[in-house]
Amino acid sequence: MKKLLVLGGDHFAIPVVQAAKKQGYYVITCDYLPDNVAHRFSDEFTNISTTDKERVLAYARERKIDGIVTFTDSGVVTTAYVQHHLGLPQIGPLESVEILQNKDRFRAFLLENGFNVPQAKGFDSVEAAMSEMNRYPWPVIVKPTDSAGSKGVTRVDRLEQLKPALEYAMQFSVSKHIIVEKYIEKEGCSSDSDCFSIDGELVVATFSSQRFDDKAHNPYAPSAYTWPSTFGDGFENELRSELQRLLKLLRMKTSVYNVETRIGVDGKAYIMEVSPRGGGNRLSEMVRLSTGTDMITAAVRSAVGDDVTVEQTDLNGHWAIIMLHSDKTGSFKKLLIAPEKEKAVFQIDLWVKEGDYVEEFIGANKAIGTLVLQFKTAEEMEEAINNQRDWLKVIVK
């Protein structure tokens, strides 16, 4: 029985564990929260932070694992580090993974290799960033270079907003490094969806429409996704080509990727983020539901060196996933869905019960569940997503 170490134990790790168990692997989950939900589904778990490379490496060596995989952003570099040092099947070279996982280095790599990229610069202190305040092309986005789930992200339109935004971003950076970049005004919706490569060949590239709740505490944390994207075939084909070029330049191997892209009002296609892991917010699951393409099983099989077969398939209808969240901190009471929208509900996955403490939505880690919807037409889907506050209520006391 092959032994797979899964970094991460939250709700988004559950389908990874389930896929691995279905393949007959012995699954160990790993993170710093012993009560995390995915631990209930694995064969055993270990209480080590996914960012602690040396401790995870020592544990992996001791347990003689056959592979390691993660669907959490915090575990990506550790995954590549363990693969590198133990000679396990790799998602790609360690240095390449480190580039992809650092927003500052990734922007520099894109610029150096002729990709469309927003003007950006990284800083290791608020003071250093403020010293160049007169050079910024307003508006800008301020964010940590190494955080996930849109934590610490702020759009800045005026100089007086800059310092608080820099201080806020610094709070969420593990390495105490932040980046200031030109805000790319987007045409239509941005995309956040998952892709897959086999031996560096991009065999699956999917695109979504990423949605935001402008009334949430953090309006830059994605609150919903819909399929298909708003890009059109021309831009999707251009992005596929550019993603393939990127993977070749970085000598990436076999992996699932969470990819964020957008089309600017300047008519250019931008690769914003590429992380060699499955996306949070159930993105690989949504691709599996909407197309039948199973990148989760492919990811766990490749992690232990088993053969992988996965291919692009067509979208089957119109799909959406809403990240259920609260506008305020308090005690969860109930979830209300208007009767006229119940026919579109494919699945409800609620992670809290009445009386549980919930927090206002500042990032993906504050979601309280997901709502998957399927629609017959694009018009029905757009109406539901754009007016969800009219028919969907999270009641918190």
Side-chain angles (χ1 to χ4, degrees):
M1 182 181 288
K2 291 190 175 181
K3 197 175 296 180
L4 178 67
L5 182 61
V6 177
L7 298 190
D10 63 9
H11 286 87
F12 304 130
I14 293 174
V16 183
V17 174
Q18 290 175 327
K21 294 283 289 180
K22 191 173 182 180
Q23 294 300 306
Y25 306 147
Y26 186 89
V27 181
I28 307 168
T29 45
C30 167
D31 72 7
Y32 75 106
L33 295 172
D35 294 327
N36 238 340
V37 63
H39 298 324
R40 304 173 198 167
F41 295 83
S42 62
D43 294 291
E44 64 176 276
F45 74 90
T46 183
N47 189 208
I48 304 173
S49 169
T50 58
T51 63
D52 193 333
K53 296 184 293 185
E54 297 301 337
R55 284 191 66 198
V56 174
L57 175 61
Y59 179 82
R61 181 178 284 120
E62 174 192 331
R63 297 294 283 115
K64 295 182 172 58
I65 65 168
D66 296 286
I68 180 171
V69 70
T70 189
F71 271 52
T72 180
D73 200 64
S74 64
V76 174
V77 172
T78 300
T79 294
Y81 186 79
V82 172
Q83 290 171 342
H84 173 79
H85 284 281
L86 295 187
L88 299 172
Q90 288 185 284
I91 53 180
L94 176 58
E95 182 180 2
S96 296
V97 173
E98 290 173 337
I99 289 170
L100 290 173
Q101 287 303 111
N102 182 288
K103 294 177 176 64
D104 193 9
R105 293 182 67 187
F106 183 54
R107 291 287 181 269
F109 184 88
L110 292 175
L111 182 62
E112 180 182 338
N113 288 280
F115 293 88
N116 295 329
V117 61
Q119 179 183 338
K121 188 171 181 179
F123 302 93
D124 57 10
S125 72
V126 171
E127 293 72 24
M130 287 298 295
S131 71
E132 299 196 22
M133 60 187 179
N134 293 320
R135 298 185 183 182
Y136 299 136
W138 309 106
V140 296
I141 286 286
V142 177
K143 52 190 173 183
T145 62
D146 53 2
S147 74
S150 301
K151 296 185 289 291
V153 178
T154 307
R155 171 174 164 158
V156 177
D157 294 275
R158 300 184 305 278
L159 182 57
E160 57 267 28
Q161 299 172 327
L162 182 60
K163 188 174 182 181
L166 293 167
E167 293 171 340
Y168 180 61
M170 191 65 81
Q171 293 175 27
F172 290 91
S173 174
V174 176
S175 63
K176 299 306 175 187
H177 202 82
I178 53 181
I179 188 170
V180 179
E181 71 178 32
K182 177 178 172 59
Y183 180 74
I184 301 298
E185 297 283 356
K186 61 182 183 287
E187 185 71 41
C189 295
S190 51
S191 169
D192 182 4
S193 197
D194 286 357
C195 303
F196 203 94
S197 71
I198 298 178
D199 295 328
E201 295 295 327
L202 186 65
V203 294
V204 177
T206 68
F207 301 93
S208 71
S209 293
Q210 189 181 42
R211 314 291 181 132
F212 301 87
D213 182 353
D214 58 7
K215 293 183 172 137
H217 181 81
N218 181 359
Y220 302 105
S223 61
Y225 306 82
T226 61
W227 286 262
S229 77
T230 61
F231 289 174
D233 290 343
F235 280 122
E236 287 192 1
N237 289 335
E238 178 183 346
L239 285 164
R240 281 191 185 94
S241 177
E242 287 292 83
L243 286 167
Q244 178 64 83
R245 185 165 75 90
L246 176 67
L247 299 185
K248 288 293 186 184
L249 286 168
L250 290 169
R251 296 177 291 117
M252 297 302 291
K253 297 183 179 180
T254 300
S255 179
V256 62
Y257 304 87
N258 179 233
V259 177
E260 295 188 36
T261 53
R262 68 174 51 192
I263 309 304
V265 294
D266 57 7
K268 295 180 181 179
Y270 292 87
I271 298 172
M272 305 302 293
E273 310 283 348
V274 177
S275 180
R277 50 135 182 138
N281 295 346
R282 302 182 64 191
L283 294 179
S284 280
E285 285 184 87
M286 288 302 299
V287 172
R288 185 170 62 186
L289 285 173
S290 61
T291 70
T293 298
D294 187 356
M295 291 182 281
I296 303 173
T297 296
V300 299
R301 286 184 61 83
S302 65
V304 297
D306 284 348
D307 291 339
V308 171
T309 301
V310 64
E311 60 184 6
Q312 187 95 37
T313 48
D314 292 335
L315 189 67
N316 177 26
H318 300 83
W319 292 78
I321 183 168
I322 295 174
M323 308 312 298
L324 299 172
H325 60 275
S326 173
D327 291 333
K328 63 181 182 179
T329 296
S331 175
F332 176 75
K333 182 68 175 175
K334 58 185 171 180
L335 176 70
L336 296 178
I337 300 173
E340 66 270 17
K341 289 295 187 289
E342 289 179 353
K343 66 180 184 298
V345 174
F346 183 86
Q347 183 186 89
I348 301 173
D349 186 19
L350 191 60
W351 306 336
V352 294
K353 62 183 183 301
E354 184 175 355
D356 282 353
Y357 175 77
V358 299
E359 297 180 69
E360 60 186 350
F361 191 60
I362 62 171
N365 62 327
K366 302 304 180 186
I368 62 170
T370 60
L371 178 65
V372 178
L373 306 155
Q374 185 179 20
F375 300 91
K376 293 181 179 178
T377 68
E379 291 74 20
E380 286 180 330
M381 182 171 69
E382 287 297 319
E383 186 277 329
I385 294 299
N386 292 332
N387 300 290
Q388 63 183 271
R389 284 179 173 267
D390 294 338
W391 59 269
L392 178 64
K393 309 285 186 185
V394 175
I395 308 299
V396 173
K397 299 298 185 181

